[in-house]
Amino acid sequence: MYKQSKHLSRLLVVGAMAAGLSMAVPAEEVAEGTVLNAASIDGLLGKTLEGQPIKSLLVGEQQKMIRQFGVTMILTHAKPVSVTSGLLELTAKHKGEAKLDAGKHLVDYVTGVPFPDIEVADPDAGYKLVYNALRVGWLGDALYLNPLYFLIIDGKKGLEKEQGWVYRRFLMSGRLTEPPVLDNTIAKYEALINVYPNDTRGLGLLTVNYTDGRLPDVYAYVKSLRRVRRLSSGAWADPVQGTDLLFDDTFGLNLDPTWYDSWKLLGTRKALVVDHSILPAMDEKATGKAKYPFIKLDEPPYWNFQPDNYEIHTVYELEGTPKNNHLVSRRDMFVGATLGAPKFYWQDHYDRKGEHWHVEFVGYKDWKWEDGRSGTTANGVVLVDVQRLHATAFGYSEGFHINSPDAKAADYSPEALPRMLQ
């Protein structure tokens, strides 16, 4: 009896040690450059990148987009997130000045990140994060993107059409350059000029966005009519004609936060994002599909970018709830948590039935601005309608100019619209 008990004890000890060793074995770390796609995802979810479980790094509907729609990620080691030079110094100088009034409007703001210390427990944290992203010039005080080509893509048939635009933006407050405020009633001017195809060439749109949350003033100029007309301000969330975008989708988000019912900051987490893209620029000298080397126009569903570097960074998980008259019922957004770089890396939109409708992805890369600053730019945007199997995408070009020294507010009046088309 004693021998049997002793033998049993030894077996239990050995079993416990084996179980302990099994539990202590860490998950396999993947090599830098490992490709995560539909073929490899099941074998990679249980492994780690930089010690983080890969399964935990996939946010929102990313698994769905990898498995069903061909999204491909090159897993790379993280580099520091670039923050526009001078922004953190301005933030420290003006810290504590900006506030939210009772209507959630931003007041007493000059420049820098309005709310550098965001607390998840703060009931206004979601609004503050959106103001941090939209009201300071971390992407530039003045943008001149020429050319900017929208690719309209059918997921079953391929490229449907190309739209050529010139995009211009000019901040009137929250500027990094002196003076930081040119007009404290105006947040920014935006202009969109159509240059291709010829049947729509000559259309210009100018939007004036205000700091007090009122709806914008929108003006249109049709070259053939030689007249500037004022349009309805209520179209800020309407579909952009001929594309899959809504007007408030531009570059990830384009609105005043008070136009939504609520913004909730749900927390922070680690995510795989594109922050140092390796994709090539649009080739303006090429013709046909060769003009767009950054996107897989020959491979269904035709809207995916070429494989790009994804790295681990901390993001805020943000939930936006539009008003009842909006086509979207909820936006789930994953926004960069690095101070001064609130990048709209990934978001999922749900329709009025609560069903998954849109995915919007934005990739970024470092960029040298024309005023000598080191900063960033959005190098690729794609919005996918997963219900219609349709998408709108664009990449960057060498014609992207940020903070050009000759940019001035006088070029953004309704009277200036005809000159923009010249």
Side-chain angles (χ1 to χ4, degrees):
M1 183 73 178
Y2 171 75
K3 288 182 178 181
Q4 288 180 339
S5 175
K6 189 174 181 181
H7 180 64
L8 179 60
S9 297
R10 286 176 178 173
L11 287 175
L12 290 172
V13 170
V14 170
M17 289 176 64
L21 287 171
S22 175
M23 293 175 62
V25 174
E28 180 184 345
E29 177 79 3
V30 301
E32 185 172 28
T34 295
V35 175
L36 174 59
N37 58 21
S40 67
I41 185 170
D42 286 327
L44 292 177
L45 289 180
K47 299 180 181 180
T48 63
L49 176 66
E50 297 186 326
Q52 300 288 329
I54 290 173
K55 185 176 181 179
S56 72
L57 299 172
L58 296 174
V59 299
E61 304 281 359
Q62 281 185 333
Q63 278 206 47
K64 171 183 175 178
M65 299 307 292
I66 293 169
R67 293 180 184 278
Q68 299 181 29
F69 297 104
V71 168
T72 299
M73 303 178 176
I74 302 173
L75 304 180
T76 59
H77 294 163
K79 300 176 183 177
V81 175
S82 295
V83 178
T84 302
S85 53
L87 175 54
L88 297 183
E89 291 80 0
L90 286 171
T91 299
K93 179 180 179 180
H94 294 278
K95 184 177 181 179
E97 295 176 351
K99 302 175 184 64
L100 295 183
D101 66 13
K104 311 298 186 187
H105 301 105
L106 181 65
V107 296
D108 299 332
Y109 172 63
V110 178
T111 189
V113 178
F115 303 104
D117 300 319
I118 289 184
E119 302 273 348
V120 175
D122 181 353
D124 291 330
Y127 283 91
K128 291 177 179 179
L129 176 58
V130 178
Y131 280 117
N132 285 355
L134 298 182
R135 289 294 300 277
V136 64
W138 65 274
L139 271 176
D141 296 340
L143 273 63
Y144 179 70
L145 310 184
N146 180 20
L148 179 67
Y149 269 76
F150 288 175
L151 305 179
I152 316 303
I153 299 166
D154 184 306
K156 295 180 179 179
K157 300 177 181 178
L159 181 63
E160 287 184 339
K161 59 184 176 180
E162 307 158 63
Q163 292 183 354
W165 299 88
V166 176
Y167 174 79
R168 302 171 64 171
R169 188 189 81 175
F170 192 89
L171 295 188
M172 294 295 285
S173 58
R175 297 165 51 82
L176 305 189
T177 49
E178 289 292 336
V181 178
L182 295 172
D183 185 331
N184 62 12
T185 68
I186 298 176
K188 63 182 176 182
Y189 295 109
E190 287 183 295
L192 198 58
I193 311 300
N194 185 256
V195 296
Y196 182 85
N198 288 332
D199 61 344
T200 58
R201 180 185 175 93
L203 170 66
L205 295 173
L206 173 68
T207 304
V208 185
N209 293 275
Y210 294 96
T211 57
D212 61 4
R214 78 183 90 161
L215 291 178
D217 290 333
V218 183
Y219 303 89
Y221 177 76
V222 180
K223 192 173 183 179
S224 61
L225 300 178
R226 299 180 182 276
R227 292 184 61 184
V228 175
R229 293 184 175 180
R230 187 166 178 173
L231 303 181
S232 168
S233 298
W236 63 269
D238 286 354
V240 179
Q241 186 174 4
T243 78
D244 301 277
L245 297 160
L246 306 182
F247 275 103
D248 61 344
D249 291 327
T250 311
F251 293 99
L253 193 65
N254 190 14
L255 44 66
D256 186 278
T258 61
W259 299 346
Y260 272 31
D261 266 346
S262 68
W263 294 97
K264 295 180 182 178
L265 184 57
L266 304 180
T268 61
R269 59 178 296 173
K270 299 289 186 181
L272 287 167
V273 302
V274 174
D275 199 72
H276 298 90
S277 177
I278 58 173
L279 295 187
M282 171 183 168
D283 186 349
E284 297 179 53
K285 296 180 181 179
T287 58
K289 295 177 181 178
K291 196 172 183 178
Y292 311 108
F294 52 85
I295 193 168
K296 298 179 179 179
L297 289 175
D298 290 320
E299 181 181 321
Y302 308 106
W303 61 60
N304 284 318
F305 288 144
Q306 298 291 347
D308 207 349
N309 286 346
Y310 281 73
E311 56 193 276
I312 301 173
H313 286 296
T314 303
V315 298
Y316 290 113
E317 191 168 356
L318 177 68
E319 180 183 280
T321 303
K323 297 183 185 298
N324 289 334
N325 59 352
H326 200 290
L327 294 173
V328 170
S329 67
R330 190 178 89 239
R331 300 175 78 113
D332 290 350
M333 307 180 66
F334 299 91
V335 183
T338 299
L339 180 62
K343 302 176 181 181
F344 298 115
Y345 292 119
W346 185 276
Q347 52 186 299
D348 298 293
H349 306 162
Y350 297 84
D351 65 15
R352 277 288 145 195
K353 297 179 182 178
E355 297 174 353
H356 190 215
W357 181 26
H358 286 167
V359 167
E360 187 167 10
F361 160 83
V362 185
Y364 296 87
K365 68 180 292 142
D366 295 345
W367 199 258
K368 193 70 174 179
W369 295 5
E370 295 192 18
D371 62 358
R373 295 176 190 270
S374 59
T376 190
T377 192
N379 77 294
V381 177
V382 61
L383 186 138
V384 178
D385 183 333
V386 297
Q387 296 181 7
R388 289 199 309 134
L389 296 181
H390 210 267
T392 299
F394 68 83
Y396 75 103
S397 78
E398 298 300 335
F400 281 21
H401 301 282
I402 302 177
N403 282 17
S404 300
D406 59 348
K408 53 186 183 294
D411 292 334
Y412 291 83
S413 66
E415 296 75 22
L417 256 178
R419 296 198 300 273
M420 295 184 194
L421 277 80
Q422 294 176 357

